[in-house]
Amino acid sequence: MKRILPKRSVIAVALTLPVSPFLLAQEASDKPIPKVIVTGSNIARIESETSQPVQVIRQQDIKRLGVSSVKELMNTLTSSDRSALTDAGGSNSFAGGASSVSLRALGKQSTLVLLNSRRVAPYPLADYNEVFTNLDSLPLDAVERVEILRNGGSAIYGSDAVAGVINVITRSDFRGLTASGSFTRSVEQQMIRNGTVSVTGGMGDLDTDRFNILANIEYYKRNGVFWREVVDDINPTYGDYFGALAPKSGQMFGNRGQPSTYSFPGNLIGQGPLPGCSTLNAGGLCIYDRFSRFQAQPGAERVNSLISGRFKINEGTEGFAEVLYSHTTTDYGGAFATYGSTNPVAVWGDPSSGQQRSFFSRGLPATHPLNTSGEELELRYRFADDPSYRKSTSDQYRALAGIKGTLPNKWDWEAALGVMGGKTKDRSRGGFFSVSGFRQVIGEDRDPALFPDANFFNRDYKLGQMNSPDVIARLFPENGYDGKITQTFIDVKANGQAGSIANRPVSVAVGGDVRHEKIRIMPTANLLAGDIVSNGASAANASRTNESLFAEVSLPVLEKLELIGAARYDKFPGFSGRFSPKVAARWQAAESFLLRATVESGFRAPNLTESAQSSKFAFDNGVTDPKRCDQAQALANDLRTQADALPPSDPNVALLLARADTVEGNECATGVASIVRNNPNLKPETSRSATLGFVLEPVKGTSIALDYFRIERKNEIGLKNTSELLSAEDSLPAGTITRLPLAQDTTFSAAERATYGVTAGPLASTNGMFENVSKTKTSGVDLGLASRFTVPAGRLDINGNATYLIDLRNFAPTRNGGSWGDNLAGRYNYSKFTANLMAALTTGAYTNSLRAVYFSPQKLQGDYFDEEYTKEACEANEWGSGVCRVGSEVRWDYNFAYNGIKNLTLSVNIRNLFDQRPPLDLKAVNRDGGGIVPQNLDDVAGRRIRLTAEYRFF
């Protein structure tokens, strides 16, 4: 490898946000630094020679952050979307048990994740149509550094690198044996905890032994938590707005967390509780602690391992190999299924026929032995014998081998081939009925007016009893998915000097790769038959081969000015080849001032679930019906007013309040079936991105970087947003939105429909196919600070990053014939300003670190069609201006490390040092929790402590 000594200038810190480990090595020694490949380029160079905004997080910084996984690490990025999928929040996702990253709020498919500069196989289950890398399959302890390219990278890496690239780089040339363990726990809630154990070993010196082998294995375990265990400690202000979370609402089960009259052994409204109930409310009805089954955090276990080796064949040639293997399991627990005659008609899609299915509820007939009234009565029942679980187990891997070397003309070359993929088994039981099983053991599920059933609930299933495993297996059969994905690849590349300009070297890189991928997602037979109530099905079985060629050139046109050009040609079957160019410039205007800029074209090819043979029958939850929600809220308010006028002991109080919650849930946070087909005529998503910035070194050892970014993405693949469709319902083609007839309305009675002006039937389904429907544009500014200097107490390192979001807009095809939506910067989930700053003081064997994290406030309203959370809507809902937003958040974290004992390092990390609650978020509870379930575990976790010990045996 060619080795050179760099000049001391601002370029020595251009990439060091935080400070580069190569720079720190150079400050300590005058030994030559080898050229390396930096993320965002295929040309070997000294790491600091960059024209692009690249953030580097070193292993030392990772330890100071106190994170336990790669996903947690990605959440510390100011350019990262905190709402991206996590395994902890994936209970309702098609891709349960996995975690993703999304840069620039452009989605998890537009951020490319690499491991040692090569792709990692996607998670075997697509999240509906989104294919992504599972961060939970990457071992954190093996990481040497992470490089984040904060602009597009399609000209270098091809498809998916629209918003940026995450390159996880593992240790190399490691020798010795270390073991480490960490334990993290909430100070307030001991059940909120996780732990990690890892062992890393390495042997061989590449120069003297002609080989080096590294092996790492890491085990992670997280405890599962249900809300009953922690709900009493939520922010008490939530109780002022949601009756289910008010003080004393928990009755005999706790201070907060209102129980439900959908209970076991159940209630017959008008008659009373069924025999055997021991938990009665003031009105004499049987109640159930539903919060005991609302999961706050699923349990998880992961084993990640990595083995890599380098072998020197001769002085100019080296072989390498790598094997990555991951086994992950996530255990979700769900609420027990309920049954009640006032439940809305459940509607979902039947993949076997392509038609919608409906499930009707009915009362307990007068002929049932438990009904002594002589007439049909409303039944409220909870299936306490429901297994109610979901378990996602995944095995993922990557194995590769290659050879690299240096030619006599000093060109470096590299070639590799490999295979990667994974299998996921996702299984659920309970929460939803099997239609066929329901008919066998309980009775009719069709329209009661057309299909009366005198033996309803008088068959194999016995009300108020713990039924046999055979009966439960028929009523709640196991269902889910098996996913498998495989990719094989071969790549080759070379870089070196191709000439000179005024004795300044012209560097060139060229290469190409071929990749074959195959994906198979197979639902269980009962999902394919549409047999599980309210459950969709996503199926795919397809393969393809794609090829690419790329080239890059660095032109030192002037002594201080470098121009970089790159281009990549990708050919996927089914559409024309895609050419992705990039132009970048780096001008060292002065020794302490560097200007840089990039302009790039990017793309994302339609994945196999979008363009190849596939089908998706889904269920969109939390939908607000603009034609029925206002009326439902008016009715619910009147019901609550009626309840307030009654004595607390009146049994109608609980009934009125429960119905108020049901009415609002049916129409303001309802579920809508969605039936979608693939589209073989899809075009690739395309993007144009640009950056312009500078790096300034005002004093030695301190760098400040500021970069403006702008990305516009077109031909976005997806579906028209359900809320957007509903806002333009009257202008859409017939059949796009389906509603049930008013005769099947279970929310409003006929008299109530007349009183509140309800003229539209309940929502049933939406129908469509994937299309190139939209576009998005975003812009903002990234700011970085890195500083190291000596103070009387030792060495002080200061690192900081900030992102200011100027603009984020989605194009709305149905708005005024097609126009941009509102600017989402500062709207819900999109803080305008996000920042963090860490200071670390090292004094001998002691290091003290303090980190501040900041998020600016957000309005509760989303885009223009989100009418439920406008200022006027908040006022109508009696939410004042102070809570019609998510306030700003400041969190302080502290880390202490001590290495004064030979071979032993001890550390303690305190997250949320001052035990501050996150800001109030009424929208999350109202929309995602149905006004009942809290949504933020940090609200009750408070201060968390992480203890870590690491021992080096040799």
Side-chain angles (χ1 to χ4, degrees):
M1 290 288 191
K2 185 176 181 180
R3 296 174 180 261
I4 62 175
L5 287 168
K7 295 181 180 179
R8 175 62 188 166
S9 70
V10 68
I11 63 170
V13 288
L15 191 60
T16 60
L17 302 173
V19 178
S20 162
F22 294 96
L23 170 62
L24 301 183
Q26 177 63 22
E27 289 180 345
S29 169
D30 287 332
K31 292 181 180 180
I33 300 175
K35 284 190 173 185
V36 296
I37 301 291
V38 180
T39 302
S41 175
N42 282 310
I43 294 176
R45 62 186 73 214
I46 292 178
E47 185 189 19
S48 56
E49 298 177 6
T50 177
S51 60
Q52 302 182 98
V54 178
Q55 179 183 353
V56 180
I57 305 176
R58 296 168 292 144
Q59 185 186 62
Q60 176 178 278
D61 302 304
I62 295 172
K63 292 180 178 179
R64 290 173 180 172
L65 288 171
V67 296
S68 300
S69 65
V70 174
K71 172 60 179 177
E72 290 183 16
L73 177 62
M74 293 300 99
N75 285 344
T76 67
L77 304 178
T78 60
S79 54
S80 178
D81 181 0
R82 289 191 295 169
S83 64
L85 176 69
T86 69
D87 78 310
S91 61
N92 291 321
S93 165
F94 278 94
S99 300
S100 68
V101 61
S102 168
L103 297 180
R104 307 299 190 202
L106 292 179
K108 50 184 173 286
Q109 291 200 111
S110 290
T111 299
L112 179 63
V113 178
L114 306 175
L115 179 66
N116 295 325
S117 300
R118 285 184 169 88
R119 289 176 180 256
V120 182
Y123 189 59
L125 293 179
D127 189 10
Y128 197 59
N129 69 308
E130 293 183 297
V131 175
F132 63 96
T133 298
N134 178 20
L135 299 180
D136 295 334
S137 67
L138 304 178
L140 182 67
D141 191 61
V143 174
E144 179 180 282
R145 68 183 187 277
V146 179
E147 297 177 354
I148 302 98
L149 175 65
R150 297 191 290 193
N151 68 308
S154 289
I156 303 298
Y157 302 108
S159 178
D160 309 335
V162 171
V165 179
I166 308 290
N167 192 5
V168 179
I169 300 171
T170 58
R171 301 183 189 186
S172 60
D173 291 331
F174 179 80
R175 295 185 297 278
L177 177 65
T178 64
S180 66
S182 66
F183 178 74
T184 305
R185 205 202 82 175
S186 163
V187 175
E188 301 291 333
Q189 313 291 345
Q190 65 175 358
M191 66 288 298
I192 301 177
R193 60 183 184 267
N194 66 72
T196 304
V197 177
S198 66
V199 178
T200 303
M203 59 184 297
D205 183 287
L206 194 64
D207 292 328
T208 60
D209 301 321
R210 306 184 70 85
F211 77 92
N212 177 260
I213 297 176
L214 167 75
N216 168 266
I217 185 167
E218 179 180 271
Y219 173 74
Y220 169 90
K221 183 175 182 179
R222 182 182 64 220
N223 190 54
V225 181
F226 286 90
W227 275 111
R228 171 48 63 203
E229 301 172 90
V230 296
V231 69
D232 286 349
D233 292 322
I234 64 167
N235 188 331
T237 307
Y238 284 113
D240 297 338
Y241 297 93
F242 303 105
L245 299 173
K248 300 182 180 179
S249 62
Q251 301 183 40
M252 70 280 292
F253 302 111
N255 183 37
R256 300 178 188 272
Q258 186 181 63
S260 173
T261 53
Y262 289 83
S263 59
F264 180 86
N267 292 295
L268 286 177
I269 305 305
Q271 178 177 305
L274 294 178
C277 182
S278 60
T279 52
L280 302 176
N281 63 13
L285 291 178
C286 185
I287 55 176
Y288 174 81
D289 183 17
R290 53 186 168 177
F291 280 78
S292 67
R293 294 298 303 177
F294 292 154
Q295 193 169 50
Q297 174 178 276
E301 290 189 73
R302 305 170 194 151
V303 178
N304 295 325
S305 59
L306 175 72
I307 301 175
S308 62
R310 300 170 61 193
F311 314 92
K312 181 175 283 190
I313 299 172
N314 55 47
E315 289 306 313
T317 310
E318 177 185 313
F320 58 91
E322 180 184 290
V323 177
L324 171 73
Y325 174 74
S326 169
H327 177 81
T328 62
T329 300
T330 305
D331 289 304
Y332 301 100
F336 295 142
T338 61
Y339 191 90
S341 57
T342 60
N343 289 350
V345 178
V347 180
W348 72 103
D350 182 353
S352 64
S353 64
Q355 303 298 313
Q356 72 178 39
R357 297 198 68 170
S358 301
F359 182 94
F360 291 79
S361 299
R362 64 182 70 207
L364 196 68
T367 54
H368 194 282
L370 294 175
N371 185 350
T372 60
S373 69
E375 60 183 358
E376 181 178 298
L377 293 178
E378 177 188 345
L379 171 67
R380 294 188 178 184
Y381 185 70
R382 189 173 299 266
F383 292 81
D385 42 13
D386 174 2
S388 194
Y389 70 79
R390 178 183 181 184
K391 186 171 186 176
S392 299
T393 303
S394 184
D395 294 278
Q396 295 182 255
Y397 63 90
R398 188 182 79 173
L400 63 87
I403 188 170
K404 61 182 180 180
T406 302
L407 298 173
N409 63 0
K410 304 301 181 182
W411 272 60
D412 296 328
W413 59 273
E414 181 175 331
L417 56 86
V419 59
M420 55 187 176
K423 294 181 179 180
T424 296
K425 181 178 182 179
D426 187 275
R427 290 294 185 270
S428 301
R429 279 194 72 189
F432 302 95
F433 307 114
S434 158
V435 175
S436 59
F438 189 91
R439 291 178 183 176
Q440 291 172 24
V441 303
I442 292 178
E444 272 292 348
D445 65 283
R446 291 171 288 186
D447 191 342
L450 301 177
F451 298 90
D453 186 355
N455 290 318
F456 189 66
F457 261 116
N458 198 21
R459 293 179 171 85
D460 293 342
Y461 187 90
K462 304 304 179 184
L463 280 173
Q465 300 180 24
M466 301 305 289
N467 288 265
S468 70
D470 173 67
V471 170
I472 297 304
R474 283 184 283 166
L475 185 59
F476 299 112
E478 193 171 69
N479 61 86
Y481 294 87
D482 291 294
K484 181 179 180 180
I485 189 166
T486 56
Q487 293 187 359
T488 54
F489 67 91
I490 182 169
D491 61 50
V492 60
K493 60 183 178 181
N495 76 92
Q497 183 175 339
S500 63
I501 299 177
N503 294 322
R504 296 184 294 272
V506 174
S507 299
V508 173
V510 295
D513 63 53
V514 179
R515 186 175 304 272
H516 178 77
E517 60 178 325
K518 182 177 181 180
I519 187 170
R520 185 177 187 270
I521 300 174
M522 183 55 62
T524 53
N526 47 19
L527 288 177
L528 284 174
D531 187 55
I532 307 300
V533 176
S534 295
N535 270 246
S538 176
N541 190 1
S543 63
R544 67 183 177 190
T545 300
N546 60 281
E547 307 88 16
S548 69
L549 296 171
F550 55 84
E552 184 180 3
V553 59
S554 171
L555 299 172
V557 293
L558 298 173
E559 183 179 356
K560 304 294 184 179
L561 176 64
E562 178 188 9
L563 298 181
I564 301 97
R568 182 178 174 114
Y569 179 81
D570 288 90
K571 180 66 178 74
F572 287 79
F575 52 87
S576 301
R578 177 66 193 171
F579 180 70
S580 302
K582 180 186 78 172
V583 177
R586 180 184 61 80
W587 178 37
Q588 189 181 332
E591 185 175 348
S592 60
F593 187 68
L594 173 73
L595 284 172
R596 60 189 181 189
T598 65
V599 178
E600 178 168 2
S601 172
F603 84 106
R604 182 183 76 82
N607 64 53
L608 290 174
T609 73
E610 295 167 329
S611 59
Q613 185 64 40
S614 65
S615 61
K616 293 169 178 62
F617 296 79
F619 204 70
D620 193 359
N621 291 297
V623 174
T624 298
D625 187 344
K627 292 189 174 183
R628 291 168 62 92
C629 179
D630 289 344
Q631 296 90 326
Q633 287 184 330
L635 172 57
N637 290 337
D638 289 345
L639 291 170
R640 293 185 179 111
T641 300
Q642 295 174 33
D644 291 341
L646 297 175
S649 60
D650 192 316
N652 289 311
V653 171
L655 296 177
L656 289 167
L657 292 177
R659 186 173 179 229
D661 289 341
T662 300
V663 165
E664 281 187 334
N666 287 354
E667 309 302 338
C668 302
T670 189
V672 180
S674 172
I675 303 172
V676 179
R677 302 286 184 183
N678 64 290
N679 183 353
N681 298 317
L682 285 174
K683 300 176 182 178
E685 296 180 351
T686 60
S687 66
R688 296 287 186 272
S689 62
T691 64
L692 176 64
F694 66 83
V695 182
L696 173 67
E697 188 180 16
V699 295
K700 182 180 179 180
T702 297
S703 69
I704 300 171
L706 187 146
D707 292 280
Y708 168 81
F709 67 87
R710 177 179 175 82
I711 303 173
E712 182 167 347
R713 184 176 60 187
K714 300 179 180 180
N715 292 329
E716 291 176 339
I717 300 169
L719 305 167
K720 294 182 175 67
N721 182 284
T722 300
S723 297
E724 187 179 350
L725 288 174
L726 290 173
S727 69
E729 180 178 357
D730 295 336
S731 64
L732 298 175
T736 304
I737 294 175
T738 304
R739 290 182 178 271
L740 297 175
L742 284 170
Q744 297 178 7
D745 186 355
T746 61
T747 300
F748 300 92
S749 66
E752 289 167 343
R753 287 195 292 271
T755 300
Y756 296 97
V758 179
T759 58
L763 282 171
S765 66
T766 62
N767 298 269
M769 69 170 63
F770 290 114
E771 301 177 71
N772 296 104
V773 294
S774 190
K775 54 186 176 181
T776 299
K777 61 180 179 181
T778 184
S779 63
V781 175
D782 290 322
L783 177 66
L785 167 68
S787 183
R788 168 174 287 186
F789 49 92
T790 301
V791 296
R795 189 188 71 214
L796 182 64
D797 292 294
I798 299 176
N799 297 306
N801 286 279
T803 297
Y804 182 80
L805 184 61
I806 297 173
D807 188 55
L808 175 62
R809 295 178 187 267
N810 298 314
F811 190 77
T814 60
R815 187 187 194 190
N816 303 322
S819 63
W820 288 104
D822 294 347
N823 183 6
L824 299 182
R827 294 283 184 90
Y828 193 68
N829 278 336
Y830 304 110
S831 292
K832 273 192 175 182
F833 187 64
T834 305
N836 58 62
L837 181 67
M838 177 188 286
L841 176 64
T842 301
T843 306
Y846 303 91
T847 299
N848 291 272
S849 306
L850 187 65
R851 181 172 184 262
V853 180
Y854 174 77
F855 299 95
S856 64
Q858 313 157 28
K859 296 179 180 179
L860 290 189
Q861 186 184 8
D863 214 332
Y864 70 94
F865 50 78
D866 186 3
E867 299 178 353
E868 190 177 357
Y869 297 97
T870 62
K871 178 181 178 181
E872 296 74 20
C874 284
E875 291 175 351
N877 208 26
E878 299 183 358
W879 292 3
S881 59
V883 296
C884 195
R885 66 171 194 157
V886 177
S888 61
E889 179 179 1
V890 178
R891 192 189 76 236
W892 294 86
D893 301 335
Y894 171 74
N895 191 83
F896 170 79
Y898 174 71
N899 60 5
I901 302 174
K902 184 178 180 181
N903 297 332
L904 178 66
T905 300
L906 302 173
S907 66
V908 57
N909 181 276
I910 304 176
R911 175 187 168 92
N912 192 7
L913 179 64
F914 299 111
D915 200 19
Q916 297 294 305
R917 289 190 185 274
L920 200 71
D921 187 349
L922 298 185
K923 182 175 183 177
V925 176
N926 193 53
R927 182 193 64 180
D928 303 325
I932 299 172
V933 188
Q935 296 297 300
N936 191 345
L937 192 65
D938 284 341
D939 184 48
V940 294
R943 184 185 294 115
R944 303 192 203 202
I945 294 183
R946 184 174 193 259
L947 302 176
T948 303
E950 179 179 308
Y951 186 79
R952 185 179 184 106
F953 295 93
F954 59 87

